[in-house]
Amino acid sequence: EHPERKVRILGAQNKDAQIRQQSSSGGVFTALSDAVLQMGGVVVGARYTEGMAVEHVIARTAGERDALRGSKYTYSLCDKKIFVQTREMLQEGTVVLFTGTPCQVAALKTFLGKDYDNLFAADILCHGIAAPVLYRDFIAEIEEKIILYCQNYEGYLNLIKIATLASENNLTLSTLSPLSENLIAIVPYTSRKIYKDINKMFKYVFISSKYDT
């Protein structure tokens, strides 16, 4: 039998309002990663690729780290290669902050086989992750494409409803409007003709330049 463990639960958010707006859950990841980077460490986490897939990468600067912010709506490629690289950095004495889903953090610790004082692991509250093919299908089904990011948990729930409407081919500007709260919208240049309509729905809307890749 395992002895009863006492669990201490803390709530926190970043003091910087701008960072909170750029984050999904209060900007705690930015605060943690800032501390690790200031120690000369690295941050391992998930980012979107150009093809909107998700992969785990190593960030060594604040600029590289910023790409790891925000919610991801499909699972990331987090294979043995990234685990091997993480172990090598730990063995060299580098401070590492590893972030991911609970199963990814558990997989890393199992792979390492022992504890490291210079490893900080942070997982998320996982609500279940869609397969990449479903995520790609969702994007492809939207005739005029926009990119949505959650500001908080309420935004995440709205995004799930939007994804459901898209899967049922019922996603239009009129059905999107009631679900716009707590979401940030990015309008690609190729979809600029709907910018005015989107700008009326969302509190935070950005449009990309035609020179963006």
Side-chain angles (χ1 to χ4, degrees):
E1 293 184 2
H2 297 285
E4 183 177 343
R5 295 182 178 180
K6 293 184 178 180
V7 178
R8 187 181 183 190
I9 300 175
L10 303 175
Q13 67 175 11
N14 202 298
K15 294 181 178 180
D16 190 317
Q18 183 176 358
I19 290 176
R20 292 199 302 272
Q21 290 181 358
Q22 296 168 339
S23 306
S24 297
S25 302
V28 173
F29 165 73
T30 300
L32 293 175
S33 54
D34 276 344
V36 170
L37 291 173
Q38 289 168 8
M39 289 188 285
V42 301
V43 181
V44 184
R47 71 172 182 187
Y48 281 109
T49 67
E50 290 185 0
M52 293 303 289
V54 182
E55 64 179 0
H56 259 64
V57 296
I58 300 169
R60 293 179 169 82
T61 67
E64 293 174 350
R65 180 278 319 279
D66 288 350
L68 311 183
R69 287 173 172 165
S71 299
K72 312 299 186 297
Y73 302 103
T74 183
Y75 59 77
S76 67
L77 175 62
C78 184
D79 55 13
K80 184 177 179 179
K81 179 181 178 181
I82 200 74
F83 288 170
V84 170
Q85 292 174 320
T86 300
R87 181 175 62 188
E88 290 174 350
M89 292 185 294
L90 291 170
Q91 291 173 342
E92 293 169 357
T94 303
V95 177
V96 176
L97 170 63
F98 184 95
T99 62
T101 60
C103 59
Q104 289 170 336
V105 171
L108 172 67
K109 291 185 174 181
T110 300
F111 175 82
L112 294 175
K114 68 173 187 177
D115 294 332
Y116 286 85
D117 292 337
N118 50 329
L119 170 64
F120 296 90
D123 56 24
I124 61 173
L125 293 176
C126 181
H127 303 282
I129 303 175
V133 64
L134 296 178
Y135 187 65
R136 289 195 298 269
D137 287 348
F138 163 65
I139 294 175
E141 285 174 2
I142 304 176
E143 183 177 358
E144 296 294 340
K145 295 180 173 60
I146 62 172
I147 302 170
L148 300 177
Y149 289 97
C150 305
Q151 291 181 273
N152 48 39
Y153 182 66
E154 286 73 21
Y156 171 82
L157 294 179
N158 280 338
L159 195 63
I160 293 298
K161 295 175 183 177
I162 291 170
T164 301
L165 289 172
S167 68
E168 298 170 349
N169 295 318
N170 291 323
L171 183 59
T172 64
L173 290 178
S174 60
T175 58
L176 179 63
S177 182
L179 302 173
S180 60
E181 290 293 322
N182 300 298
L183 292 172
I184 298 172
I186 298 177
V187 181
Y189 182 77
T190 53
S191 299
R192 62 192 180 279
K193 67 181 181 181
I194 63 170
Y195 173 76
K196 289 184 178 179
D197 292 322
I198 296 299
N199 196 39
K200 294 176 183 177
M201 298 181 195
F202 294 84
K203 185 175 181 180
Y204 300 103
V205 182
F206 304 89
I207 185 168
S208 66
S209 165
K210 66 179 179 179
Y211 301 109
D212 289 347
T213 57

